[in-house]
Amino acid sequence: MNRIRKLVAPGALVVGMGVAATGMELFRDPLPDLGAQAPQQPSVAARIPGPESLSAAFRNASRSTLPAVVYVKYETAARTVASRVPDQFRGTPMEQFFGGGQMTLPPEEGSGSGFIISEDGYVLTNNHVVANASRVTVVLADKRELSAKVVGRDPNTDIAVLKVDAEGLPVAQLGDAEALQTGDWVLALGYPMSLGQTTTAGIVSAKGRSLGIVQRDRSATAPLEHFIQTDAAVNPGNSGGPLVDLNGRVVGVNTAIASPTGFYAGYGFAVPIDMAKRVADDLIRYGQVHRPMLGVAIRGVTTADAEVFRLPSPSGAVVYTEPTGPAKAAGVRMGDVIVAVDGQAVGDDGDLKAALAAKRPGERVTLDLVRYGERERVAVKLAEMELRAASNDAPAGDDREPTARLGLSVMQVTPEVARQYRLPFQDGVVITAVDGNGPAARSLAGGMRIERLNGREVRSVADVRAEAARLKPGQVVSLVVRAPDGQQAIVNYRARG
C-alpha cells in the first residue's frame, strides 16, 4: 500500500538512486501532392527540440535558481505530547504503560530545503520542516551558515517563512502555477537525504491533487490541498525546495511523495506557488494567515450526486450541510452544487477551496450554483475565518489577534464544528493550534477545551481575547483545560513577549 510521506530528511544519511528515461516517436510528413505548389512546412522532427537544446534549457533553469536554494537544518528539544490510551485500559493498572495519556519525545535533528524570496533574507519552506524546531539554521549556496527565525507557519497549507539576518541575497524568481499544463517539463531542486544541491527533472503529471496528508496534522484546522503532481525525483530532504519551470521560475514548493517505501517511487507533490506566495505574504505582514470564510461544508460530486441534483456532469462542489454565515445570508442552500467562482469553473471541492484561498476576507465573489437542475447566481461577501494557524514571533508592530501572546489559536465550538472535528463536546472554546516554539508548546495541544483562563470562566472566543489583551509580556498564564478524553488539567506558563 502506498504511503504519503513528507520529505524531511532524518539525521542519518540514506543513499538511494533513481533513473528516469524518456522516449519520443517522430512522425514523417505525408507524401506531397506533386502537382501542387504548396509552401514547404517544417517536419515534426524539425519542430521537436533536440537533446542539446533541451539540455541547455535544463542547465539554464537550474543555474538561475540554485543560488537561491538553501539547506534547512533543525533541532527539536525533548517535549511531552498527548498519547491516546485505549479505552479498554483506562482506569486499570495497564494505563501506566501508556504514560497516563502523555509521552515524551526525545530531542531530534533533521533537515529540509527552502528558497530565498527576498534579498533581505526571507526564506520559504514547508511548515512540517520547522513545526517543532527549537533551533533552525539555514545554509546558503555559498556555504554560509546563518541562524534563522521562524517568522510564521501555516499548517493548513504546510507553508512556513524563515528570516535570516543578511542583505543582497540571490532571490528565486516566482512563476505562475496556473499557467502550468500536464506534460510540462519541471525541475525539482533541493537537498535530498542531506546531500548537496541536487536537480532532478520530470513533467507535470497532474494538477489539483488532494492527498489528505495536511489534515493529519492536528494543528491544521482548515486543511487546503491542491497539489501539483510531478514525476521529477524527490526524496526526504527535498521538503520546502522549489519546483521550477524551464524558464527557472518557481511554480511549486516540493512537499510530499506517495511511496510504499518512504523514498521516491514516481509520485511527488508540490504546493502551487500562487497559494504559497499568498500564505507567505500574510505570514510576513501579519504573522498569521487571514483566510476568507464562505460558510459551507463541501465535498466533491459523485455520479449519484449528478443524478440527484440533475447536473450535466459529475463536477462541482456539493454543499452537504446547512450553510452558515456569508453563504447562508446570500441564499445558498444545502444541496446546492457550486460549479463556478467569478466565472472560473469548479471541477471539485479542491478547486473551490483553492479559488477562495486566493481571495481575502471582505472581498465579494460571484458563485454559480446548480439547484436541482436550475442554474442560479449569487453574490457573497466573504467573512474572515476564526480558525487561525499557529505562528511564531511576528515583526514588531504587527496587528495579530491578542491570543498570539498565549501562543495558541482558538475557535468557538458549535454542534457543526463538533461534528466536523469529532469533538466530544458541542460548546465552549477549543484550542485549534499551538505554537510549536511558543511557551505552551509542551503542555497544550489542539482539541483541548479551555474552561478557565486566569481564574475566569471561558465560554466564548471573546472571553479568551479579552483576558489575553490584559496580559503583559512575561505575566503568568493559568489555564484549566479539558482534553478530548475528558481528562482535566491545569497548565501554567508565562505569556510571550
Side-chain angles (χ1 to χ4, degrees):
M1 181 178 68
N2 280 351
R3 297 180 183 273
I4 307 297
R5 296 291 181 92
K6 294 178 179 178
L7 308 177
V8 176
L13 176 65
V14 180
V15 179
M17 180 175 66
V19 178
T22 58
M24 190 176 296
E25 183 177 357
L26 305 183
F27 296 88
R28 298 181 180 276
D29 288 336
L31 291 175
D33 180 354
L34 299 180
Q37 299 297 320
Q40 290 187 346
Q41 298 292 329
S43 69
V44 173
R47 297 196 298 269
I48 295 176
E52 282 302 318
S53 60
L54 189 56
S55 293
F58 288 165
R59 285 195 300 268
N60 292 337
S62 179
R63 187 163 46 223
S64 66
T65 310
L66 279 175
V69 181
V70 302
Y71 181 51
V72 180
K73 299 189 296 183
Y74 69 85
E75 300 173 14
T76 68
R79 65 190 193 278
T80 301
V81 298
S83 63
R84 186 178 183 278
V85 180
D87 292 340
Q88 64 268 33
F89 297 127
R90 290 189 184 280
T92 73
M94 292 293 292
E95 186 173 0
Q96 64 180 310
F97 293 104
F98 296 92
Q102 293 185 327
M103 64 179 179
T104 300
L105 300 180
E108 62 180 21
E109 297 179 352
S111 66
S113 303
F115 54 97
I116 303 167
I117 57 175
S118 73
E119 292 184 354
D120 59 346
Y122 284 102
V123 175
L124 194 60
T125 187
N126 279 138
N127 170 68
H128 72 262
V129 173
V130 296
N132 297 307
S134 58
R135 181 181 179 185
V136 179
T137 302
V138 166
V139 183
L140 305 181
D142 62 10
K143 309 302 182 184
R144 279 184 289 168
E145 294 195 14
L146 303 174
S147 178
K149 172 184 176 181
V150 180
V151 174
R153 304 186 290 106
D154 181 35
N156 293 309
T157 54
D158 203 7
I159 292 297
V161 176
L162 312 177
K163 179 69 168 65
V164 296
D165 187 11
E167 297 289 342
L169 297 177
V171 176
Q173 181 183 2
L174 305 187
D176 179 7
E178 286 297 317
L180 279 182
Q181 298 184 45
T182 301
D184 284 351
W185 281 104
V186 286
L187 306 179
L189 312 180
Y191 292 80
M193 298 185 290
S194 299
L195 299 170
Q197 282 191 336
T198 301
T199 300
T200 57
I203 63 169
V204 175
S205 305
K207 293 178 64 178
R209 290 290 197 219
S210 179
L211 310 174
I213 186 173
V214 174
Q215 67 190 31
R216 298 178 194 175
D217 184 340
R218 291 186 61 184
S219 60
T221 52
L224 176 57
E225 297 183 351
H226 211 239
F227 292 123
I228 300 165
Q229 181 180 326
T230 175
D231 66 352
V234 288
N235 273 296
N238 270 117
S239 270
L243 185 72
V244 305
D245 62 20
L246 292 195
N247 292 310
R249 298 172 301 198
V250 180
V251 292
V253 182
N254 295 314
T255 299
I257 57 177
S259 168
T261 64
F263 296 95
Y264 175 70
Y267 307 97
F269 302 91
V271 177
I273 194 60
D274 315 69
M275 183 185 299
K277 184 178 184 301
R278 162 77 170 80
V279 169
D281 287 345
D282 269 13
L283 291 177
I284 293 171
R285 184 174 180 183
Y286 308 113
Q288 63 183 5
V289 181
H290 290 280
R291 185 163 282 115
M293 183 186 73
L294 180 59
V296 293
I298 56 172
R299 57 175 170 76
V301 174
T302 65
T303 53
D305 290 329
E307 182 175 338
V308 171
F309 299 131
R310 301 198 289 278
L311 303 173
S313 63
S315 62
V318 178
V319 179
Y320 67 88
T321 64
E322 285 297 331
T324 60
K328 182 177 181 179
V332 179
R333 304 175 188 171
M334 182 175 67
D336 285 350
V337 181
I338 301 173
V339 295
V341 178
D342 289 339
Q344 177 183 346
V346 170
D348 56 24
D349 53 327
D351 286 346
L352 177 58
K353 291 177 182 178
L356 294 176
K359 308 294 182 181
R360 292 195 174 274
E363 285 190 46
R364 292 186 178 275
V365 296
T366 300
L367 303 180
D368 287 340
L369 314 170
V370 175
R371 182 172 294 161
Y372 291 95
E374 298 295 324
R375 192 90 174 196
E376 302 280 345
R377 177 168 288 176
V378 299
V380 184
K381 183 178 180 180
L382 299 173
E384 181 163 1
M385 195 174 290
E386 285 287 348
L387 309 204
R388 302 266 176 96
S391 62
N392 294 80
D393 292 333
D398 75 333
D399 59 352
R400 293 181 297 163
E401 63 178 284
T403 54
R405 183 158 289 168
L406 297 174
L408 51 82
S409 300
V410 297
M411 179 184 181
Q412 190 72 43
V413 179
T414 64
E416 180 183 351
V417 169
R419 286 195 304 273
Q420 184 176 358
Y421 295 101
R422 299 179 181 178
L423 300 176
F425 43 84
Q426 298 192 350
D427 58 3
V429 175
V430 67
I431 297 173
T432 58
V434 179
D435 187 338
N437 288 337
R442 299 184 183 183
S443 306
L444 299 174
M448 290 181 171
R449 180 168 62 177
I450 300 177
E451 299 190 341
R452 302 187 74 84
L453 172 54
N454 285 351
R456 293 180 172 85
E457 185 177 3
V458 171
R459 294 184 178 180
S460 68
V461 171
D463 293 340
V464 177
R465 287 178 173 167
E467 187 59 31
R470 299 187 185 101
L471 292 173
K472 296 179 180 179
Q475 184 177 339
V476 170
V477 177
S478 182
L479 288 175
V480 176
V481 297
R482 191 175 297 275
D485 62 5
Q487 185 176 16
Q488 194 178 48
I490 185 167
V491 177
N492 303 315
Y493 59 95
R494 293 191 181 277
R496 69 191 318 165

